[in-house]
């Protein structure tokens, strides 16, 4: 019996027992194959943001079909301005984020969110023209709209039509 637990054969037996145990565990453990993206409701964050800024807040009137809102937060921008971030996993499982702030200068805020200050054209969404920016090394596409009281930015790895889909659903909520 002592030869069975020592030396090369003992090592082989111990290895076999460990591998058999691991295989048995993998066989009986549940294996979920479904994709799970956590859904984060942003309605309270948008309402709280609306109470802290002097303008009507912009937000999607509904989520684009197949998109999952998966992050939201309010942060301090430069010069004490409030910044609202709403993040999504798109229907194509790319990333898109809607950001807004009254931070000044507006062009600096837009450039920081886009990681670029170079316009590559425009995108017509309904009757509204958005500036397009693209940063190739990050595969980041951005739509920018600078209004008198707020700057709107939609950015991420999503393609242009997906970003435009989110832009089309934005509406300004009355200050209140």
């Amino acid at each position: 019996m002592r030869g069975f637990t020592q030396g090369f054969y003992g090592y082989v037996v111990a290895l076999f027992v460990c591998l058999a145990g691991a295989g048995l565990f993998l066989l009986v453990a549940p294996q979920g194959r479904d994709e799970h993206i956590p859904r984060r409701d942003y309605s309270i964050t948008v309402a709280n943001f609306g109470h802290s800024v002097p303008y009507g807040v912009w937000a999607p009137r509904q989520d684009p079909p197949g998109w999952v809102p998966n992050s939201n937060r309010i942060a301090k921008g430069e010069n004490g301005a409030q910044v609202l971030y709403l993040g999504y996993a798109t229907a194509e499982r790319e990333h898109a984020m809607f950001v807004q702030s009254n931070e000044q200068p507006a062009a600096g805020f837009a450039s920081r969110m886009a990681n670029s200050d170079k316009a590559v054209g425009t995108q017509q969404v309904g009757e509204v023209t958005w500036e397009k920016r693209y940063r190739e090394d990050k595969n980041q596409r951005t739509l920018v709209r600078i209004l008198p009281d707020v700057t709107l930015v939609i950015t991420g790895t999503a393609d242009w039509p997906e970003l435009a889909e989110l832009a089309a659903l934005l509406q300004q909520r009355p200050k209140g």
Side-chain angles (χ1 to χ4, degrees):
M1 183 76 142
R2 181 169 206 153
F4 187 66
T5 59
Q6 293 179 344
F8 177 74
Y9 291 112
Y11 173 77
V12 170
V13 169
L15 183 62
F16 176 75
V17 169
C18 288
L19 289 175
L24 182 62
F25 174 78
L26 291 174
L27 186 64
V28 297
Q31 307 254 336
R33 301 279 187 242
D34 295 337
E35 173 185 59
H36 177 70
I37 299 172
R39 181 176 290 275
R40 302 284 184 252
D41 180 26
Y42 54 81
S43 58
I44 292 173
T45 304
V46 170
N48 288 338
F49 185 73
H51 296 303
S52 68
V53 294
Y55 56 88
V57 173
W58 289 79
R61 63 180 169 275
Q62 66 188 40
D63 296 327
W67 289 39
V68 179
N70 60 8
S71 68
N72 60 75
R73 68 185 173 103
I74 300 170
K76 286 276 188 202
E78 296 191 7
N79 304 322
Q82 298 283 340
V83 183
L84 175 67
Y85 297 87
L86 303 179
Y88 287 94
T90 71
E92 299 298 319
R93 294 308 176 241
E94 293 293 336
H95 174 72
M97 181 168 284
F98 170 60
V99 187
Q100 68 183 298
S101 181
N102 63 344
E103 182 180 307
Q104 294 298 323
F109 171 75
S111 294
R112 203 171 67 254
M113 295 298 107
N115 286 306
S116 173
D117 60 354
K118 308 269 187 290
V120 296
T122 59
Q123 172 90 36
Q124 196 68 28
V125 180
E127 297 179 8
V128 177
T129 302
W130 292 73
E131 179 183 273
K132 290 168 63 171
R133 298 183 187 188
Y134 180 63
R135 179 153 174 193
E136 189 172 354
D137 64 325
K138 291 185 176 256
N139 189 32
Q140 182 180 1
R141 291 165 197 80
T142 305
L143 296 176
V144 174
R145 184 173 177 209
I146 299 176
L147 300 170
D149 57 350
V150 64
T151 302
L152 310 177
V153 177
I154 301 172
T155 189
T157 58
D159 60 21
W160 296 115
E162 282 189 306
L163 295 179
E165 186 178 0
L166 180 57
L169 292 172
L170 293 178
Q171 68 181 20
Q172 188 174 29
R173 299 178 180 187
K175 179 69 181 148

